[in-house]
Amino acid sequence: LPSASLPARTPPPPPPSNLTLVTMPNPIATFTTSEGVFKAEIFLEKLPVTSCNFIDLCNTGFYNGVHFHRVIDNFMLQFGCPYAKDAKSSKSGTGGPVPGSTYQCNGKTITRDKIEGCIPDELVDRTSNEIGTLSMANTGAKNSGGSQFFVNTVHNDFLDWFRPDLSESQHPVFGKVVEGMDVVMKIGKVRCDSGDNPLKPVKMISITVA
């Protein structure tokens, strides 16, 4: 009997010469405050762990009704402490997400610290703390970031995690204002008390991410 033979394989056609990779744009967060609205691109691709934590807190309403608790002219605006729902709380600046809570990131479940709700440090991207960037606040200790962040109103390169020659600070940047920087600067100029807390409270009404 003649041996069986397979039909010859037809090579696949070459890809079109104009083929390009399509990447999804980073999400945009809209910050609606009592002083106006600003928007920021969130660097989900560069810092997924940090960005997913922020997006989860936004989507669950964690930030709604929280006040900016620390504003320093020609420096930054700090925000995100749940105790700052009371604009004059003495605990402002010490709070974070619910300890042991979880969030999703690229198909994985990340569990926040069971004591203070902190997330792992994500010191991977060398974006500097330039004007208009969003950067994680922390205590200076390892893995101590949670829900608090700040918006730089000047270039604070001494806060960059990759500049140990300038300071020991390690604050990774996870976003940047793309619209409404005038609102950010307006908040940065409000009058504050001796503890850098605005005399007239500045409230975050909502943060939505799309």
Side-chain angles (χ1 to χ4, degrees):
L1 295 173
S3 59
S5 61
L6 296 174
R9 291 185 60 189
T10 302
S17 59
N18 63 346
L19 182 66
T20 56
L21 293 176
V22 177
T23 57
M24 296 298 291
N26 278 323
I28 300 296
T30 300
F31 300 75
T32 302
T33 81
S34 55
E35 295 294 329
V37 177
F38 64 92
K39 297 182 179 182
E41 177 185 4
I42 305 303
F43 299 158
L44 182 59
E45 183 178 352
K46 293 179 179 179
L47 274 79
V49 173
T50 305
S51 297
C52 287
N53 171 68
F54 169 77
I55 292 170
D56 175 73
L57 294 173
C58 292
N59 289 342
T60 55
F62 180 91
Y63 291 125
N64 297 352
V66 174
H67 296 84
F68 287 86
H69 66 271
R70 186 170 176 238
V71 174
I72 302 178
D73 189 17
N74 290 316
F75 184 26
M76 57 89 226
L77 326 174
Q78 189 168 341
F79 171 80
C81 176
Y83 292 125
K85 284 194 173 182
D86 174 358
K88 301 301 177 182
S89 173
S90 61
K91 291 185 177 181
S92 291
T94 66
V98 176
S101 56
T102 62
Y103 64 96
Q104 297 298 309
C105 183
N106 293 337
K108 298 180 180 179
T109 298
I110 297 180
T111 301
R112 298 182 178 99
D113 173 74
K114 289 180 168 44
I115 298 176
E116 295 183 326
C118 298
I119 65 171
D121 290 334
E122 198 170 21
L123 307 179
V124 295
D125 178 63
R126 291 175 177 259
T127 299
S128 186
N129 279 268
E130 298 176 353
I131 182 171
T133 53
L134 278 59
S135 191
M136 286 297 291
N138 56 50
T139 66
K142 185 178 180 180
N143 300 325
S144 60
S147 59
Q148 295 186 50
F149 62 93
F150 55 92
V151 185
N152 290 292
T153 54
V154 294
H155 188 185
N156 294 310
D157 56 353
F158 72 96
L159 299 179
D160 294 341
W161 66 268
F162 51 89
R163 292 299 306 271
D165 56 315
L166 298 180
S167 76
E168 296 181 357
S169 297
Q170 295 188 322
H171 299 278
V173 168
F174 68 95
K176 186 169 185 177
V177 175
V178 295
E179 185 179 317
M181 192 63 197
D182 58 322
V183 174
V184 172
M185 300 305 286
K186 178 182 177 183
I187 297 172
K189 294 292 184 181
V190 299
R191 294 178 58 210
C192 297
D193 61 22
S194 58
D196 302 317
N197 184 260
L199 294 174
K200 177 186 175 184
V202 181
K203 180 187 287 189
M204 185 67 68
I205 298 169
S206 67
I207 307 178
T208 57
V209 182

